[in-house]
Amino acid sequence: MAKPIVHIYQPVDQTGKSHERLEAAGAQLIMPEGTWDLMANSRVSEEVVLDPDTSVAAGVANRSIQITGASMDGAPDLRLVAKYTVGYDNVDVDAATERGILVVHSPTEGNWGGVAEGTMAYMLSLLKKVREKDRHVKNGGWRDPALFGTYVGARMIDGYEGLTIGIIGLGRIGSRLADLLAPWRVKLIAYDPYAEDSKFVHHNVRPVALETLLRGSDVVTLHCDLNEETTNLIGEKQLALMKPSAILVNAARGPIVDVDALFDALDGDRIAGAALDVLPEEPPEPQLALLGLGDKVLLSPHMITANGGTGLSLAVPWVEAAILAALRGDVPKYVVNEDALPRWQSRFGGQSLI
């Protein structure tokens, strides 16, 4: 019997040990040279072409490589698309579901927890003017009223109620962010039409409508998935609702924010600042207008989860386990498209290839 092909189109395991274990289990691996991060700097988006006999494909979530319906049709016995990342928006999930192909992701705590921590850092950098103070001193300056920051939390002594933080998306990341902010005694509100009421209660967050959140928040921070509903969720109309003193943080996905509308809002002082770990086009073109806004915008190269001891390395055993389960004909953990399970079971359930 021929060995089942596992196409790791964006390798993450730099040690190669998981690859060795997969081969020892009976799989044949197809991999490009290098690791995923070397490919992530490409501005060209490519469609993955799979070997016709591929049983499993594995990679990360970035827009340089797409798993499309055509990719899946090129491998008619494809069982699984596995992601080393929490995100999976470069996979056509609907196409996978129609074909009875499972998509799994890797919501490791180091990954989503790192996003929450990074969001805190971005938020505080803007509110406390960390970059401006550093540059001012290095340029020979010292104390200056223009460097005053914003006090974030509530103060019991004088009744100051603290800032209002608006969280869009109360999933793993949004919930952790709420927990991190709890000791600051800020006012937490959130918009998530898919979260249960108990989640808001558990994390001491008040549920509100999107417009209410935008109007009332001093910080608006995005932690929702990218899909048809959330693409350009924050555009000209939504930015116009925000306070002139408010800041926007996007550590989710670039296309959730209309960056042209964001530029206009920042350039016209209709909002005070923005911190973006993600952009619609990554890397951005050098002519991107946002790049010329100075301290009004804090930019990061989609690396909010790149932290020592965490990052994607924690997902390697998760993906390895998912691949082996699928090759054995077992349902792996962390399935994104559960609607595909009945058809998957009829096509592959209990049918081991190793």
Side-chain angles (χ1 to χ4, degrees):
M1 184 175 68
K3 293 182 177 182
I5 291 177
V6 175
H7 187 162
I8 303 179
Y9 57 92
Q10 290 169 306
V12 167
D13 183 7
Q14 297 185 19
T15 70
K17 292 181 179 179
S18 71
H19 308 151
E20 294 172 0
R21 289 190 292 268
L22 289 170
E23 289 174 329
Q28 176 185 342
L29 269 57
I30 295 177
M31 292 185 296
E33 294 293 330
T35 54
W36 74 273
D37 50 333
L38 298 176
M39 307 171 194
N41 291 329
S42 173
R43 291 189 176 91
V44 179
S45 181
E46 299 179 0
E47 182 179 81
V48 172
V49 177
L50 300 172
D51 183 281
D53 295 322
T54 300
S55 296
V56 175
V60 305
N62 63 44
R63 286 183 292 282
S64 62
I65 294 185
Q66 305 288 324
I67 300 287
T68 65
S71 301
M72 301 171 200
D73 290 338
D77 293 321
L78 185 68
R79 300 182 171 204
L80 178 73
V81 177
K83 311 300 288 185
Y84 292 95
T85 46
V86 174
Y88 46 86
D89 48 271
N90 60 341
V91 179
D92 189 334
V93 177
D94 291 337
T97 301
E98 290 172 5
R99 291 159 176 78
I101 299 168
L102 297 184
V103 179
V104 301
H105 67 150
S106 299
T108 61
E109 186 173 7
N111 196 328
W112 55 262
V115 177
E117 293 178 357
T119 298
M120 285 283 290
Y122 296 161
M123 187 188 310
L124 291 173
S125 293
L126 288 176
L127 293 172
K128 300 298 185 181
K129 298 188 177 181
V130 174
R131 296 168 298 158
E132 296 91 326
K133 291 171 180 173
D134 172 73
R135 184 175 59 254
H136 185 69
V137 174
K138 289 176 178 175
N139 288 338
W142 198 236
R143 301 186 62 142
D144 187 321
L147 299 175
F148 272 43
T150 300
Y151 195 90
V152 178
R155 296 192 302 260
M156 304 302 292
I157 192 170
D158 61 359
Y160 176 74
E161 295 183 351
L163 299 186
T164 297
I165 312 295
I167 302 171
I168 298 178
L170 200 63
R172 296 180 181 88
I173 297 168
S175 297
R176 174 62 65 86
L177 179 63
D179 293 345
L180 292 175
L181 285 164
W184 298 62
R185 299 192 300 273
V186 296
K187 291 179 286 186
L188 291 172
I189 59 177
Y191 168 71
D192 191 331
Y194 302 102
E196 296 181 357
D197 292 344
S198 60
K199 175 163 277 191
F200 291 91
V201 173
H202 181 73
H203 297 283
N204 196 30
V205 179
R206 180 166 61 91
V208 296
L210 179 58
E211 287 192 2
T212 302
L213 183 147
L214 294 170
R215 291 182 188 278
S217 297
D218 299 294
V219 177
V220 174
T221 180
L222 301 167
H223 303 290
C224 47
D225 292 335
L226 176 64
N227 50 46
E228 291 184 6
E229 186 179 0
T230 61
T231 297
N232 287 334
L233 179 68
I234 304 298
E236 180 180 1
K237 177 182 176 182
Q238 291 74 29
L239 290 164
L241 297 175
M242 293 174 61
K243 300 177 182 179
S245 59
I247 64 172
L248 175 72
V249 181
N250 186 9
R253 287 291 184 266
I256 295 172
V257 176
D258 180 340
V259 292
D260 292 331
L262 177 61
F263 171 82
D264 290 341
L266 289 166
D267 192 48
D269 294 323
R270 293 192 292 276
I271 67 171
L276 308 173
D277 183 60
V278 290
L279 292 165
E281 299 296 331
E282 298 175 354
E285 294 292 342
Q287 298 81 16
L288 180 69
L290 281 174
L291 300 179
L293 285 177
D295 290 330
K296 286 186 177 181
V297 62
L298 185 160
L299 298 173
S300 169
H302 202 152
M303 290 185 66
I304 197 167
T305 62
N307 300 294
T310 62
L312 301 187
S313 61
L314 296 180
V316 169
W318 292 35
V319 170
E320 180 184 340
I323 291 172
L324 291 174
L327 292 179
R328 291 193 301 264
D330 298 330
V331 176
K333 294 181 178 180
Y334 311 114
V335 173
V336 171
N337 57 337
E338 293 185 352
D339 289 346
L341 284 171
R343 187 168 183 191
W344 190 90
Q345 288 284 19
S346 66
R347 293 186 66 198
F348 307 116
Q351 301 177 33
S352 181
L353 299 175
I354 54 176

